[in-house]
Amino acid sequence: MKIISTERSQVLAARISEKLGVPLVETKFARFPDGEMHLRCGELDDETLIVSSVVNNDMLVQTLLAIDAADRSRKTLVVPYLGYSRQDRLFAPGEPISARAVARALSNGIERALVVNIHDPGVLDYFGVPADDITIAPAIGGYVGDLRLKDPLILAPDEGAAGFAAGVAAVGGWDCDHLEKTRLSGEDVRIAPKTIDAGGREVVIVDDIISTGGTLATAACMLREQGAASIHAACVHGVLASGAYTRLRAAGISSVVSSDTYENASSFISAANAIATAIRDDAHR
């Protein structure tokens, strides 16, 4: 096996290479004057692992090119971040199911796909090949442990993320809850943990993705008012669009971290170990 990656997944691909002990093949990227993407990789083997986060349209095209470049190999595609996956159903007549369109396109020429903490596991059914979801909740739990917080309270931003938060909390046997909105009046809304009082607690809000961070910033301000001793935020996919990082820090969140599924300056957690474990487990079946 050899590993290749697209431009926005180079660091994670190198880490997976180290975990698996398999070569990382150099890949060169260029753009033609008309804007078309160009990719050229080194010599491949009978089996190729392609690591590519689809963080934008260019990376979608690079992924398709990488799949074709490895045409003579058996290919496993690792998509740490799958763009377009949040439009996973028909919301209005005439719209595409974007997750389906992208999953179908990526399925051509590969034998298997792996994604990391996809927002809706139902999207996996759109792939035309076996596709599995990998969780890095334990890795995020490890990071929380490294913070050396005193009896942290792990919070999901809503009930839908409660299972993910429970996976994080299980690492240290910490308390776990999810935030709940209560409408007090036509204009006033209270956001607070459903069952556990945040007063005096060191709180860590965890989620699969932080995009604009607006709701999270509002929740942090309210948790401060409820007496939380400190607030931290950790997610898998740190999109952090539209000034989200500064918005969250200005709201009183002491630290904002994400993983290398979406590589940026906040990527203090790695998905490499979880991905390498899934690859090894598949090889032993």
Side-chain angles (χ1 to χ4, degrees):
M1 176 188 284
K2 292 184 178 180
I3 298 175
I4 60 174
S5 81
T6 53
E7 281 185 282
R8 293 290 297 272
S9 298
Q10 298 177 69
V11 174
L12 177 54
R15 290 169 176 166
I16 294 170
S17 171
E18 292 173 357
K19 295 288 184 182
L20 289 175
V22 300
L24 179 65
V25 175
E26 180 183 7
T27 307
K28 297 180 180 180
F29 310 97
R31 189 185 296 270
F32 291 111
D34 62 359
E36 292 182 1
M37 308 293 295
H38 180 260
L39 174 153
R40 179 180 293 168
C41 58
E43 185 177 350
L44 298 177
D45 214 333
D46 293 337
E47 187 171 358
T48 302
L49 183 67
I50 302 169
V51 183
S52 181
S53 281
V54 181
V55 302
N56 55 35
N57 296 334
D58 283 352
M59 292 309 102
L60 175 58
V61 174
Q62 280 192 7
T63 307
L64 297 175
L65 296 179
I67 292 170
D68 198 70
D71 188 50
R72 297 184 180 182
S73 294
R74 292 182 64 254
K75 295 173 288 296
T76 295
L77 175 63
V78 178
V79 190
Y81 175 78
L82 180 62
Y84 292 95
S85 63
R86 283 183 283 179
Q87 182 145 3
D88 55 0
R89 60 182 64 88
L90 189 64
F91 294 104
E95 289 186 347
I97 301 176
S98 303
R100 180 177 63 189
V102 170
R104 284 175 173 174
L106 295 177
S107 298
N108 291 323
I110 65 171
E111 281 69 40
R112 184 188 179 199
L114 295 172
V115 297
V116 178
N117 285 106
I118 196 163
H119 189 68
D120 179 3
V123 170
L124 299 175
D125 295 334
Y126 293 138
F127 282 88
V129 295
D132 295 297
D133 187 37
I134 300 169
T135 182
I136 64 165
I140 293 180
Y143 174 82
V144 173
D146 290 341
L147 291 176
R148 305 292 183 184
L149 302 177
K150 182 180 179 181
D151 191 24
L153 170 60
I154 310 300
L155 285 180
D158 52 46
E159 189 173 6
F164 177 70
V168 175
V171 172
W174 304 305
D175 288 339
C176 180
D177 201 356
H178 69 270
L179 293 170
E180 187 174 66
K181 284 185 180 179
T182 303
R183 184 161 294 282
L184 304 177
S185 67
E187 296 182 356
D188 295 327
V189 174
R190 181 176 184 268
I191 301 176
K194 181 176 174 62
T195 58
I196 301 176
D197 186 3
R201 302 294 296 269
E202 296 193 274
V203 173
V204 184
I205 304 174
V206 299
D207 202 1
D208 63 331
I209 185 170
I210 297 177
S211 185
T212 62
T215 300
L216 188 56
T218 300
C221 291
M222 291 191 174
L223 288 168
R224 283 285 189 191
E225 293 173 359
Q226 294 158 26
S230 68
I231 304 169
H232 304 263
C235 72
V236 180
H237 314 299
V239 177
L240 301 174
S242 303
Y245 186 86
T246 53
R247 179 179 297 113
L248 295 174
R249 292 301 302 272
I253 298 182
S254 301
S255 64
V256 180
V257 300
S258 61
S259 83
D260 51 7
T261 60
Y262 200 110
E263 293 178 0
N264 56 40
S266 68
S267 300
F268 290 99
I269 302 164
S270 183
N273 188 61
I275 293 170
T277 298
I279 297 295
R280 281 195 294 262
D281 289 347
D282 184 59
H284 292 153
R285 288 174 185 170

